[in-house]
Amino acid sequence: MDFFTFVQLGDASVRMAIPLLLACLAGLFSERAGIFDIGLEGKMLAAAFLSAAVSFASGNVWVGLLAGIGISVALSIIHGLASITFRGNQLISGVAINFFAAGLTVVIAQGWFAQGGRTPSLPKDARFNGLDFPGALTRVRDKMQASPGMQFYSEFVSGHSILVYLGLLTVPLSWWILYRTRFGLRLRAVGEAPEAVDTAGISVVRLRYSAVIICGILCGIAGAYLSTAVQAGFTKDMTANRGFIALAALIFAKWRPWYALGACLLFGLFFAIDNRFQNIQLQVIWIMILLIGSAVAMTVYALRREKIDVLVLGGLSAVLAAVALITWFGTASGEGIGVLAALWETVKVPSQLIQSLPYLFVVIVLAGFVGKAIPPRAGGQPYVKER
């Protein structure tokens, strides 16, 4: 690969990481305040639908963005009512929001537009288009012939929609709020020891509601970004489990904003590889080395940990080893050559394997491959003042 290909891969990684990053920071604010929220997926999906629908109807993408944020905040408040006011089970509330959004968005889209549960394609004025910085090249042919510095500036720095720059800005802003303001200090304290915050005369309920509303705003922007910037409209289940991947990234980042940026860029890289390199060709021997090597490394690591890790990582290792062997013997059988000669044959890497990379990494993260992650101490526990 040449330098321009690397720049394009980095550019795509950032674009794919933005919705994950916004959802990850949304979960960070909520869980730092002691409210577990697995309904990020549902909020993003509802925001994606309403943003696209309102943008199409009004012809104004900013109105669509506000609509997406509004529905996401409304769902967050419902989650807050269930988990803060009525002290219900936070996990059940999150699951209900996911099911609610997955079903209702398709039903309303079908009733509104009658296009199979999707919205019409958005015109250019109803979408977030890329911003070209001064002096940046816009044509691909000109970028390929430009100097490396100009390629980096024109492809990586310039050309993103405003939501990309806004998403990147939320990282230092979140860090500043959480670690440099009184509100952030109290927010972190309420997730660790709400009784101490209450004793100091600070409202635990108000702080937790503030956190879930911030969570709703960020999820709304993430959903609107998917339907009005990445794609030109809403389609069924278009979030593709990004809300759950964001939760995995949050654990990977150990509830820290800057670490969240790194984790989401890593997941974004996998999505970018899927989008830009669907026809990767490698010799069979390299596929064997990558898959068998990964399987052996995970198995050795799992044997040093608990039984659940052995089951999860051992099962994943068996799947990778099976894919490697099927590729090897399938090539030998298909080409009608010997097994050893098949090792040097060049084959196309199965697209299903590339598409599954982000989800395989989620399994590895959740299996504890990144080390011990300790959530906020009061996370998931409703606060009862009488105690």
Side-chain angles (χ1 to χ4, degrees), residues 140-151:
V140 176
R141 179 182 299 177
D142 295 336
K143 294 177 185 176
M144 294 178 67
Q145 297 173 350
S147 64
M150 181 54 74
Q151 288 178 347

Side-chain angles (χ1 to χ4, degrees), residues 14-23 25 47-48 51-52 55 61-66 68-69 122 126-131 133 159-171 217-231:
V14 172
R15 292 175 191 267
M16 294 295 104
I18 290 302
L20 296 174
L21 178 62
L22 290 167
L25 293 176
S51 295
S55 295
V61 69
W62 290 101
V63 177
L65 174 64
L66 290 177
I69 292 174
L122 299 178
R127 299 173 53 194
F128 284 107
N129 301 299
L131 301 175
F133 287 0
H160 299 288
S161 73
I162 191 171
L163 295 185
V164 172
Y165 303 108
L166 178 64
L168 294 174
L169 185 63
T170 56
V171 179
I217 293 172
L218 292 173
C219 280
I221 299 173
Y225 174 76
L226 286 173
S227 61
T228 60
V230 177
Q231 297 184 27

